[in-house]
Amino acid sequence: MNVFIIGIGLIGGSMAKDIKNFDPEAKIYGIDTNETHLEEALSLGLIDYSATYQDLSIADVVIVSIPVDVMVSELPKVLDVVNDDAVVLDAGSTKALICSTLEHHPKRRNFLACHPIAGTEFSGPSAAINGLYEGKTNIICEVEKTAFKLQERALEIFQKLGMRIRYMNPEAHDKHIAYVSHLSHISAFMLGKTVIEKEKNERDIFDMAGSGFESTVRLAKSSPAMWTPIFKQNRENVIETLEEYILNLEAFKKMIEEGDYEGIYNEMSSTNRIKEILNGIPLNKN
């Protein structure tokens, strides 16, 4: 199996690691505009060869894990050069614009729109880890537009990675993911910003920061180069979630101002049921 990874970072690199684990005979080719990343990926053994788009004609599987704004322009180019029996997978955190861009491409049948919901706050080839996808959900959109035999090949890979599959239309995906992923990252970035600004006047603030702060702000270490395009592509849904979040923050602030501590207790108590919702979802400790 000739597997091409376009974008050798956490997502693509981790997938390369696991594919090698279950299929040692697979040949992994890497394509990246960052030459340092390519060299690092080769030295780490994530890929066997560096490659270019001209080599994609021999691909059986192409995994595209680059920022979503670049993905919109690059996916059509990838599909232009792959052979008719290759399956092209993306790992984008937004789906509507990507799917609409490829809607009328002559090789649309070769593309499977995916979003593996997995990751850490780290980036680059050195961030790649074994087992990143074990037990994680992979959302697939517009599966009916992909050739059945290519669906089967992709699903076999996902099964071996240990992923759970959900099917969803692109618009529903982008709306729901704005709540459970995009808002979380914005909250982390803004919490980090607030603390950094406060730290200018109170030098001891980080000395007092415990594990709760660390786990809450962890996502603020994520790559701005990856997340800015996500917020841009999913702008309307992100704004809607932010408006609801801000309303909840303002209501909580008002309860504190008015000394409504019973209301605060009830609010937190009712929110505790998030434990039941999240129960059984494997969380990355990396």
Side-chain angles (χ1 to χ4, degrees):
M1 184 166 65
N2 292 325
V3 179
F4 282 71
I5 311 283
I6 302 178
I8 313 295
L10 166 68
I11 298 300
S14 297
M15 202 164 286
K17 271 180 169 283
D18 285 347
I19 289 173
K20 269 292 191 183
N21 286 338
F22 69 71
D23 185 2
E25 299 302 313
K27 295 178 181 178
I28 311 292
Y29 297 80
I31 298 176
D32 203 302
T33 55
N34 188 323
E35 288 296 327
T36 302
H37 279 186
L38 276 177
E39 292 170 8
E40 188 178 353
L42 281 166
S43 66
L44 291 170
L46 298 179
I47 60 176
D48 301 309
Y49 313 96
S50 61
T52 68
Y53 280 18
Q54 292 177 337
D55 302 309
L56 287 171
S57 60
I58 66 168
D60 298 304
V61 178
V62 183
I63 298 160
V64 186
S65 54
I66 55 181
V68 291
D69 56 337
V70 186
M71 201 175 290
V72 170
S73 61
E74 292 305 301
L75 276 170
K77 299 175 187 176
V78 172
L79 287 171
D80 284 343
V81 294
V82 296
N83 66 74
D84 289 340
D85 293 322
V87 60
V88 178
L89 319 170
D90 81 309
S93 185
T94 57
K95 292 269 78 81
L97 181 58
I98 289 169
C99 288
S100 64
T101 299
L102 297 176
E103 183 178 2
H104 300 296
H105 193 284
K107 291 183 181 174
R108 175 63 185 83
R109 63 186 291 281
N110 292 78
F111 174 66
L112 187 64
C114 305
H115 179 197
I117 304 178
T120 71
E121 68 272 30
F122 303 109
S123 58
S126 61
I129 57 176
N130 290 306
L132 177 66
Y133 301 99
E134 181 69 36
K136 303 298 173 55
T137 298
N138 188 10
I139 299 177
I140 297 177
C141 297
E142 299 185 335
V143 66
E144 71 282 356
K145 295 185 178 182
T146 306
F148 184 70
K149 67 176 181 179
L150 300 182
Q151 291 180 37
E152 288 187 315
R153 186 184 306 162
L155 289 172
E156 182 180 1
I157 292 172
F158 298 146
Q159 181 183 31
K160 290 177 178 177
L161 291 173
M163 302 200 79
R164 301 178 295 185
I165 304 298
R166 284 285 307 273
Y167 297 97
M168 198 173 286
N169 70 59
E171 291 74 24
H173 167 276
D174 287 4
K175 184 178 183 65
H176 296 322
I177 210 70
Y179 283 93
V180 297
S181 175
H182 302 173
L183 182 58
S184 302
H185 282 79
I186 294 171
S187 300
F189 277 114
M190 290 304 97
L191 175 58
K193 178 180 187 292
T194 303
V195 171
I196 288 170
E197 290 176 346
K198 188 66 175 175
E199 191 266 348
K200 293 174 185 176
N201 300 316
E202 297 188 17
R203 304 295 302 180
D204 294 331
I205 193 164
F206 282 114
D207 291 336
M208 296 184 290
S211 59
F213 172 78
E214 183 182 6
S215 61
T216 305
V217 82
R218 176 179 66 86
L219 295 177
K221 302 175 190 174
S222 301
S223 168
M226 181 179 77
W227 280 96
T228 303
I230 290 172
F231 299 146
K232 180 180 178 181
Q233 282 197 17
N234 207 20
R235 178 177 178 271
E236 291 183 8
N237 289 315
V238 168
I239 289 173
E240 180 182 327
T241 62
L242 277 172
E243 287 173 345
E244 294 182 39
Y245 187 45
I246 290 166
L247 284 175
N248 280 324
L249 289 174
E250 288 176 341
F252 200 87
K253 176 187 174 187
K254 185 176 181 182
M255 284 189 287
I256 293 177
E257 288 174 339
E258 296 177 351
D260 182 8
Y261 300 110
E262 181 180 353
I264 289 171
Y265 176 89
N266 290 335
E267 191 85 336
M268 291 190 296
S269 180
S270 64
T271 307
N272 273 167
R273 66 182 290 267
I274 199 73
K275 291 185 290 188
E276 302 167 20
I277 296 171
L278 294 177
N279 186 37
I281 296 179
L283 301 177
N284 259 312
K285 302 301 182 184
N286 301 78

